[in-house]
Amino acid sequence: MASFPSADRLALLTNFGHSIGSVAYVYRPTHAEQIAELYRSAAGTGFTVGMRGAGRSYGDASLNGGHVALDLQRMNRILDWNPGTGVIRVEPGVTIGQLWAYTLEDGWWPPVVPGTMFPTLGGCLAMNIHGKNNYVAGPIGEHVAQFTALLPTGEEVACSPTQNADLFHSLIGGLGVLGVFTSITLQLKHIYSGNLKGYAWASPNLRQMMDEMESLKADSDYLVGWVDGTWGGSGLGRGQVHRAHYFAPGEDPSPAQSLRVEAQVLPDTFFGLVPKSILWQFMRFFMNTPGAWLTNTAKYVHARTLDHRHHFLQSLVAFNFLLDYVPNWEKSYGRGGLIQYQSFIPRAAAAEAFADLLKLTQRRGLPTYLGVLKRHRPDKFLLSHAVDGFSLAMDFKVTGGNRPALQRLTDDMSRIVLDAGGRFYFAKDSTLTREVVAESLGPDTLARFCAMKARCDPQSLLQTELYRRVFGSI
Ligand SMILES: Cc1cc2nc3c(=O)[nH]c(=O)nc-3n(C[C@H](O)[C@H](O)[C@H](O)COP(=O)(O)OP(=O)(O)OC[C@H]3O[C@@H](n4cnc5c(N)ncnc54)[C@H](O)[C@@H]3O)c2cc1C
């Protein structure tokens, strides 16, 4: 390679919420050998290398300003597919959307998906993503049969729950700073319909919503709550619960129809009239505190008309990827973009701690415009974010003037979360400090992660802005 890194590779990269951006030397390899060559070129130059999938993390997880960013989206081949067993082997740049579209007609669906279908599998493994079924299905890492990864030392490792198990449980959820996934083998879930049986109803406050989700979780394949963060008093955290079940074998009268990709495609228009591609521009007028109050109230009033006893059919895509309904919705937050703050709190402390968080945001005049409640269970991965409890994800608008106030707010929220024994999720983070992360992980986990970093990447070649912010130069 002539000069490294080459100036003509410079490009501006941003986070999903367009609230953070930086210029990096962007390389887009198509094969693992090119990554090995990039490692060799970068070693000893002082430049670090950061991995990037589809750039759908809310914070700075896939940014590496002033250094090298490896955009892995061109490594997007399906390597092997067995429609008899539902085991698929893919390159890391394959997206969740590409995956389900490939396997659906054979009756298989990714067992864990995020709220959008655009992320890559490599990005999903590096964050160990969870879905609306985390309390029953665990994170995506629990469905990985094997992966291969290229370490900065040049070593290519194959890992499974039983082979190199320590690397397996560290690289999954390892923020992409221990090695790069080069192939991923997943066990998919057998499904008997392209539809889910959905239920939805209003919940008058957060505590009741949590009680309802708790009592229903043993009998639900998916559960998620939408939370109105703009309302206070006895209606604090009111919202709507969504619950869904898979179809049992033989229950769908025409599975060949519902399992067609065409039956899943989200419509291009709302009510057959308004093109969805322009909708985000109208949403901009409501992305302020009075507008958020109005839309949240309208949504809650509508939720109150729903009957929890009756189910409706919803395609797997419509249920799981609700946020993809409005293309580019994140742009409606305006030039400053948005950040998300998601915390995970053990069950016994969750209702009180989340109430405190919501009240604090309202007192500071920075209410969340979108809140989402999920139920979780613990897992065995080193940097696990899940607890036996709930998470509340809160979206905040960023403006030219409110960044310091947002930082103060999230700092104070983190104190509440830590005091409640809670955890954080790096895919959604852009404000945590080293001290907060060290306290939430605890000295033992931190030491094990540092030891793993030293073993996989002794020169600390793999870094991102997130890594430097929350771990410093370990
Ligand atoms: C609208 C929306 C909804 C979401 N909903 C959820 C949700 O419900 N649950 C959830 O868990 N998450 C959710 N997310 C977060 C998202 O799933 C994660 O941030 C995911 O990691 C994004 O994948 P990506 O391909 O865009 O990766 P990027 O954001 O580009 O990168 C994420 C991390 O992966 C690393 N990385 C990327 N590729 C590789 C590789 N091949 N090898 C090693 N490391 C790699 C990067 O260095 C970085 O640390 C949501 C995001 C959005 C935008």
Side-chain angles (χ1 to χ4, degrees), residues 350-388:
E352 197 177 326
F354 288 147
D356 287 347
L357 294 186
L358 287 170
K359 282 187 232 164
L360 184 64
T361 61
Q362 293 172 4
R363 274 204 307 279
R364 299 275 173 95
L366 291 167
T368 172
Y369 294 174
L370 174 66
V372 175
L373 184 74
K374 289 187 202 138
R375 182 68 169 90
H376 300 273
R377 69 154 166 78
D379 57 67
K380 288 198 288 186
F381 295 89
L382 181 59
L383 291 189
S384 172
H385 54 273
V387 297
D388 182 5

Side-chain angles (χ1 to χ4, degrees), residues 51 53-57 61 115-116 119-120 123 126 129-130 175-176 181 374 425:
M51 304 303 160
R56 296 273 153 170
S57 291
T116 169
T120 64
I129 60 128
H130 60 262
L175 317 180
F181 300 111
K374 289 187 202 138
Y425 183 25

Side-chain angles (χ1 to χ4, degrees), residues 306-362:
L306 304 173
D307 183 345
H308 70 279
R309 289 163 304 186
H310 295 126
H311 76 256
F312 50 90
L313 292 191
Q314 205 170 12
S315 74
L316 282 153
V317 163
F319 179 82
N320 280 292
F321 309 126
L322 194 64
L323 289 165
D324 294 342
Y325 251 91
V326 181
N328 297 316
W329 61 266
E330 70 280 7
K331 288 191 189 163
S332 67
Y333 275 81
R335 291 177 61 177
L338 79 149
I339 60 166
Q340 189 176 100
Y341 183 92
Q342 185 176 13
S343 53
F344 295 68
I345 301 197
R347 188 160 65 94
E352 197 177 326
F354 288 147
D356 287 347
L357 294 186
L358 287 170
K359 282 187 232 164
L360 184 64
T361 61
Q362 293 172 4

Side-chain angles (χ1 to χ4, degrees), residues 190-360:
H190 211 343
I191 49 164
Y192 304 94
S193 171
N195 288 320
L196 292 169
K197 278 180 274 177
Y199 302 80
W201 64 93
S203 250
N205 55 55
L206 189 70
R207 195 172 282 272
Q208 182 162 330
M209 191 185 293
M210 292 169 79
D211 288 346
E212 287 169 350
M213 286 171 68
E214 195 56 35
S215 64
L216 287 167
K217 80 180 194 342
D219 187 32
S220 309
D221 291 323
Y222 293 97
L223 269 178
V224 64
W226 158 74
V227 173
D228 176 358
T230 65
W231 199 259
S234 59
L236 185 77
R238 68 183 189 177
Q240 180 176 334
V241 181
H242 298 256
R243 174 186 182 214
H245 290 290
Y246 291 112
F247 276 69
E251 244 189 316
D252 183 346
S254 47
Q257 290 296 319
S258 66
L259 289 168
R260 283 163 57 240
V261 170
E262 295 74 21
Q264 301 285 327
V265 170
L266 300 174
D268 289 337
T269 54
F270 262 112
F271 311 115
L273 285 174
V274 188
K276 289 200 314 187
S277 55
I278 60 163
L279 208 68
W280 69 268
Q281 311 216 32
F282 293 102
M283 287 166 59
R284 279 187 307 180
F285 300 111
F286 295 92
M287 284 300 177
N288 47 57
T289 300
W293 180 86
L294 199 66
T295 44
N296 275 276
T297 299
K299 187 167 162 54
Y300 183 69
V301 169
H302 172 258
R304 290 190 54 176
T305 65
L306 304 173
D307 183 345
H308 70 279
R309 289 163 304 186
H310 295 126
H311 76 256
F312 50 90
L313 292 191
Q314 205 170 12
S315 74
L316 282 153
V317 163
F319 179 82
N320 280 292
F321 309 126
L322 194 64
L323 289 165
D324 294 342
Y325 251 91
V326 181
N328 297 316
W329 61 266
E330 70 280 7
K331 288 191 189 163
S332 67
Y333 275 81
R335 291 177 61 177
L338 79 149
I339 60 166
Q340 189 176 100
Y341 183 92
Q342 185 176 13
S343 53
F344 295 68
I345 301 197
R347 188 160 65 94
E352 197 177 326
F354 288 147
D356 287 347
L357 294 186
L358 287 170
K359 282 187 232 164
L360 184 64

Side-chain angles (χ1 to χ4, degrees), residues 16 50-58 60-63 70 72 92-93 113-116 118-132 171 174-177 179-182 184 323-324 329 340 342 374 385 425-428 464 466:
F16 167 71
M51 304 303 160
R52 184 170 170 94
R56 296 273 153 170
S57 291
Y58 276 79
D60 48 3
S62 63
L63 300 181
L70 288 196
L72 296 153
V113 295
T116 169
F118 300 115
T120 64
L121 266 304
C124 288
L125 254 62
M127 287 299 172
N128 204 10
I129 60 128
H130 60 262
K132 301 172 184 57
L171 265 83
L175 317 180
V177 296
V180 59
F181 300 111
T182 47
I184 297 163
L323 289 165
D324 294 342
W329 61 266
Q340 189 176 100
Q342 185 176 13
K374 289 187 202 138
H385 54 273
Y425 183 25
F426 295 115
K428 308 292 186 74
T464 59
L466 166 74

